[in-house]
Amino acid sequence: MTFRWYAAASFGLTAAYLAFPADLRWVPFLLITLAAVPATIIGLRRSSGSGRAPWFVLLAALLVYNVGNVLYVWYVYFQHRATADGTLADLLFSVANVLVFAAALTIIVRRGRRDVGGMADAALTSLAVGGLLWDVVLLPHFNDMGMSQPRQMAVFVNIFITLGTFGALLRVARAAPERLVTVWLFGVASGATLIANVTSALVSDAAGVRPDWTNLPFLVAYSALTAAAVHPSAALATRLTPAPEDDLTPGRLTFLGAMMALIPMVGGGRALFGLPTDGVLLAIGSALVVPLVMVRIAALSAQRRHAEQALRRAAVHDSLTGLPNRTACLERITAALAAPLPSCPDATPRLAVLFCDLDGFKPVNDRLGHAAGDQLLVAVAERLRGCVRDTDLVSRFGGDEFVIVCEAADSQAAVNAVCERIRTMLRRPITVAGQTVQIGISVGVAFAERSSTTDDLIGRADLAMYEAKQSKALGELSLAAA
């Protein structure tokens, strides 16, 4: 309800701004800008922890803005100056612009930190569009006006900062898995500010005097910031979001290539035809494009490396339990059997394999469902990991079968220790799907011999496990040796 009232009042006054008498337009102007302060306090109170950061900075920005706005009204409406340019109000507006940029940057950094490639694309696009706007539209106009270089530089910095903020906010809003109204409204405020800055620069005369209607996009920006602060999603504005899919399709690559070439092409084209061009823009643009491209390449390289690591892990790990899978288990046994033996003539590989099968798993799966069965497998896998040494291997061989590989100088003692821990583990209740269940484990043990192969060792342990099942009991370890 608060959001609707604030939004309706702010945008309503903005729409009616030009309907007020010219000498009274400062009234709705200040009402709209001042209303943003308590709205931001509401957003601040709704947030907690690091989520308060953008609202603290935005509150500071709006306080500075409003001091500047009051001075602006005083200079223009009561002192009857043509413009407030060059006054303290102008300085306060510049400070407030930096603070608003910092508030938006807080949201961008938090929500876009996992989208490095997308942020680089947004920055590259903003730089290219800003360069086109500056070289083709703004710079010729400023040269015709005879605008001084310091004032041109101030407008240049303001335009590019606002455009970059708008591009980054748009990317953050579009890439997020959920639609956050607050972030979109921040983007609207940034876009409206950009429009306001560009139109004000184009329609102002040499003295800085501009028509009153140019206040409209500024008021839209204030209204959007007000609505963003009071919307319920304000508390989630800085929440870290999952990394979006970063797929460089041929169309996207073509677009990015065009954006990279836009500034030098426009600048070079204008120079070719004898038109004024901005060497500073060309230098800055070229200097920024290279690191942005390097960031993009680094992001793609990291993405590829992570994908390769995930594929390698998936190839040798069980997706449900995270344990090594059958392939990894067999590779471990093969490597252990291939290890050099001591010089003693009767030496055998220091290796034992425990083939484990859950007793009572099927009734749980049938009674409580497959999801509960999966929970049980995950719980058993975690407990089996706690029953072995760091040097031993616990793998999910398939279904409800697990294989433990022990390498030790005294493999019999190692197996005895593992079995005792499993017995203790089985006495502890397991809760799945809100119910306590009980299982047993049948274990077949096979010790390696000099002539053992991987298939032979696994086969003997498997047969011993079936023998152990003859005496299976819930809550117990049934053991048999090959």
Side-chain angles (χ1 to χ4, degrees):
M1 186 62 71
T2 305
F3 166 72
R4 293 178 181 176
W5 278 109
Y6 262 100
S10 295
F11 285 108
L13 278 175
T14 299
Y17 174 73
L18 293 179
F20 281 77
D23 59 341
L24 292 177
R25 286 176 185 162
W26 61 271
V27 176
F29 184 89
L30 286 183
L31 284 175
I32 293 169
T33 61
L34 289 171
V37 174
T40 305
I41 294 175
I42 292 174
L44 181 62
R45 294 184 62 184
R46 284 179 175 173
S47 304
S48 60
S50 62
R52 290 187 165 196
W55 307 116
F56 270 123
V57 180
L58 182 61
L59 180 60
L62 289 171
L63 290 173
V64 175
Y65 263 134
N66 276 292
V67 173
N69 288 333
V70 170
L71 289 175
Y72 172 85
V73 168
W74 173 258
Y75 287 131
V76 174
Y77 287 93
F78 293 95
Q79 293 290 314
H80 304 293
R81 295 191 183 188
T83 178
D85 284 2
T87 65
L88 177 59
D90 199 26
L91 175 62
L92 291 174
F93 292 151
S94 299
V95 173
N97 283 337
V98 174
L99 290 173
V100 170
F101 169 70
L105 195 62
T106 305
I107 295 176
I108 292 166
V109 169
R110 284 288 296 171
R111 294 187 68 84
R113 64 188 300 178
R114 292 178 175 170
D115 184 25
V116 177
M119 290 292 101
D121 292 350
L124 188 61
T125 303
S126 299
L127 182 64
V129 172
L132 181 65
L133 176 67
W134 180 262
D135 243 356
V136 176
V137 179
L138 294 174
L139 182 62
H141 176 72
F142 293 157
N143 287 337
D144 291 341
M145 287 176 56
M147 182 183 288
S148 65
Q149 286 294 326
R151 192 174 170 195
Q152 283 191 31
M153 184 57 63
V155 175
F156 176 90
V157 172
N158 196 13
I159 294 292
F160 273 85
I161 287 178
T162 309
L163 186 59
T165 305
F166 174 67
L169 284 170
L170 188 62
R171 171 64 188 182
V172 165
R174 291 189 61 190
E178 80 282 15
R179 180 186 175 88
L180 275 191
V181 175
T182 289
V183 178
W184 280 99
L185 286 170
F186 246 102
V188 170
S190 181
T193 303
L194 176 64
I195 293 172
N197 288 331
V198 172
T199 54
S200 297
L202 289 175
V203 300
S204 297
D205 59 21
V209 179
R210 56 186 174 84
D212 212 18
W213 61 264
T214 56
N215 282 328
L216 282 174
F218 283 116
L219 293 178
V220 170
Y222 278 112
S223 299
L225 287 177
T226 299
V230 296
H231 193 272
S233 63
L236 307 176
T238 57
R239 186 173 65 182
L240 191 62
T241 57
E245 183 179 356
D246 189 14
D247 185 16
L248 275 181
T249 62
R252 189 171 175 183
L253 278 171
T254 302
F255 174 77
L256 291 175
M259 292 298 100
M260 289 173 56
L262 195 57
I263 291 179
M265 284 181 62
V266 171
R270 291 182 64 82
L272 190 64
F273 288 100
L275 298 173
T277 187
D278 193 345
V280 175
L281 172 64
L282 286 173
I284 294 177
S286 300
L288 289 178
V289 163
V290 173
L292 284 173
V293 172
M294 295 304 295
V295 167
R296 196 69 182 88
I297 293 173
L300 286 174
S301 176
Q303 183 182 13
R304 179 179 177 180
R305 185 167 58 254
H306 292 157
E308 290 175 347
Q309 291 172 350
L311 286 173
R312 284 196 296 268
R313 177 174 176 79
V316 294
H317 282 81
D318 174 54
S319 60
L320 176 64
T321 63
L323 293 176
N325 59 14
R326 178 195 294 260
T327 300
C329 177
L330 297 178
E331 288 178 352
R332 172 68 175 270
I333 295 172
T334 301
L337 290 174
L341 295 176
S343 56
C344 179
D346 58 347
T348 59
R350 301 172 177 180
L351 179 67
V353 171
L354 293 79
F355 203 112
C356 309
D357 186 81
L358 304 189
D359 300 324
F361 172 76
K362 188 176 186 302
V364 173
N365 202 51
D366 292 343
R367 180 165 55 91
L368 301 180
H370 292 291
D374 288 346
Q375 291 180 31
L376 179 56
L377 289 172
V378 172
V380 171
E382 184 63 31
R383 294 189 179 192
L384 285 176
R385 258 195 294 246
C387 293
V388 301
R389 302 167 302 169
D390 292 340
T391 55
D392 297 332
L393 175 77
V394 180
S395 67
R396 185 185 177 199
F397 211 66
D400 60 345
E401 296 175 339
F402 297 85
V403 171
I404 300 174
V405 180
C406 295
E407 292 186 69
D410 188 347
S411 53
Q412 181 66 63
V415 168
N416 292 340
V418 169
C419 289
E420 188 57 38
R421 295 190 196 103
I422 294 176
R423 286 191 182 94
T424 303
M425 176 267 287
L426 289 172
R427 298 188 188 108
R428 291 159 43 204
I430 300 176
T431 302
V432 295
Q435 297 191 33
T436 300
V437 300
Q438 193 173 32
I439 61 166
I441 297 182
S442 295
V443 178
V445 182
F447 296 93
E449 300 171 352
R450 291 183 69 91
S451 59
S452 292
T453 64
T454 301
D455 290 341
D456 166 63
L457 197 55
I458 285 288
R460 288 192 291 118
D462 191 13
L463 287 174
M465 181 270 294
Y466 278 104
E467 182 182 340
K469 271 196 174 292
Q470 303 305 313
S471 58
K472 66 181 181 182
L474 293 183
E476 298 293 336
L477 173 70
S478 305
L479 182 64

